[in-house]
Amino acid sequence: MERHYGHGDEIPGTTDPLTRLSLDVLAETAAPPPGAVDRLLSAARSARRPVAAAGFTAPFAGRVAAMDALLASATRADWSQKIVEGWTLQELVAHLAATDSLVACAIDAPVAGPPLTANDVLGRTADMIAYTGGRTPQETRAEWRAQAEAIRARAAEMDPGTPITPGGMSFALSDHLLARMLETWLHTVDAAAVLGVSLPLPVAAHIHPTADFCARLIPWTMLLSGVDGGGARAVRLTLTGPGGGVWHVPLDVQVVARPDDGAPAEVEIACDVVDFCFLLGGRRAPDEFPATITGDAGLARDVLHCAPVLSGP
């Protein structure tokens, strides 16, 4: 009879970080399928071990490890499941590899898949999915993971403030890695939901810089949505939960959001930090977004409605 283990239960041979993460993922499942623990342990032990990452590369590396832990337990049937955007699990991993490859190319890291002929996410994704059609799921997974590790290693050698322009979006290298962290996190949750697994959250030290990145995007999301932020107006953004914080966010794209220092703001928006990151990632509906608004309700509504404009597939 299979035992269902929970968080903190001692299982012999599970001190390895990837195995532990894999079991934490499974422990969140309401009713693990028969044999799931044994299958997940076997898969996790054969998986590539996460490479230690420090500093600004750690949030991205952490989400890559989490996705890989989930993929380690995927069955043959799981790989054919439709996850999001009509993509199967294998095609979703190909999409992650495609978007990562634009960053890899921009920093001279090895690029996975076919020669890079498209410098946009959708074009590169189409090329990568076509390429993936002739490969096994495990080959797709291995190429995605190897490229992600190459990105982490190359980025760790660089100044985090180095401007790069993958896919036509010019940001600092550190911000592009946070964008990759967020998308990898979102798609890991997408896959986990279809496969019936509830994932543990990233650690607070990885959520906080991602939330900071999302806070700094607010004036850009309004600008790209065609909404006038009002120049000198500002928002106080209070994000609750592990990894949260309070930011003063000027709505002028020339002024960078910063930790709140008590400067005047027209409105305060208070919400959960994970919900806010997922709003920016297009996984929360602005009309139904749970937030406490103090001050200019119209401005708050504009901020929340514009937030997902940069989210992509």
Side-chain angles (χ1 to χ4, degrees):
M1 179 177 179
E2 180 181 6
R3 177 184 171 190
H4 293 167
Y5 295 92
H7 289 290
D9 286 351
E10 291 298 325
I11 307 175
T14 59
T15 57
D16 172 78
L18 182 56
T19 304
R20 185 67 261 166
L21 175 59
S22 301
L23 285 170
D24 282 347
V25 168
L26 185 62
E28 295 289 341
T29 307
V37 168
D38 290 340
R39 178 164 56 84
L40 187 56
L41 280 172
S42 176
R45 287 168 181 153
S46 67
R48 300 186 66 171
R49 296 297 177 257
V51 176
F56 75 98
T57 68
F60 171 61
R63 287 308 89 199
V64 168
M67 180 58 144
D68 198 52
L70 184 64
L71 297 177
S73 67
T75 65
R76 180 177 298 181
D78 289 338
W79 284 102
S80 298
Q81 288 251 48
K82 297 287 187 180
I83 305 298
V84 67
E85 301 289 335
W87 294 326
T88 65
L89 180 59
Q90 183 175 3
E91 290 167 342
L92 176 61
V93 176
H95 164 66
L96 287 174
T99 313
D100 286 349
S101 73
L102 300 179
V103 175
C105 180
I107 62 174
D108 294 324
V111 174
L116 203 156
T117 58
N119 191 38
D120 65 283
V121 171
L122 292 179
R124 180 59 177 168
T125 294
D127 290 346
M128 190 70 81
I129 287 177
Y131 168 82
T132 296
R135 305 182 73 76
T136 68
Q138 291 307 326
E139 287 173 328
T140 300
R141 173 190 168 204
E143 286 194 75
W144 158 74
R145 181 64 192 267
Q147 178 180 245
E149 290 182 0
I151 290 170
R152 180 211 58 78
R154 173 68 181 118
E157 300 171 345
M158 299 173 64
D159 183 332
T162 303
I164 61 172
T165 313
M169 296 290 290
S170 183
F171 287 110
L173 169 61
S174 57
D175 283 344
H176 273 290
L177 285 195
L178 289 172
R180 299 310 310 129
M181 179 280 193
L182 180 58
E183 187 182 4
T184 305
W185 182 12
L186 294 170
H187 284 321
T188 304
V189 171
D190 290 338
V194 173
L195 301 184
V197 176
S198 177
L199 292 171
L201 291 173
V203 297
H206 294 178
I207 292 176
H208 184 78
T210 308
D212 178 78
F213 173 60
C214 290
R216 289 184 283 112
L217 285 177
I218 288 176
W220 291 98
T221 61
M222 295 189 72
L223 179 67
L224 292 171
S225 298
V227 175
D228 182 6
R233 294 197 294 175
V235 173
R236 179 170 294 105
L237 180 65
T238 300
L239 301 180
T240 59
V246 185
W247 285 262
H248 182 266
V249 186
L251 298 181
D252 181 348
V253 295
Q254 301 299 320
V255 184
V256 179
R258 61 186 185 274
D260 185 60
D261 56 5
E266 278 65 33
V267 64
E268 178 176 354
I269 301 174
C271 60
D272 178 78
V273 63
V274 174
D275 281 340
F276 181 72
C277 291
F278 276 46
L279 174 68
L280 269 286
R283 296 306 190 276
R284 298 289 187 269
D287 286 333
E288 303 168 0
F289 189 72
T292 300
I293 309 299
T294 305
D296 188 335
L299 178 58
R301 183 173 57 252
D302 286 344
V303 168
L304 296 177
H305 275 260
C306 294
V309 71
L310 286 170
S311 64

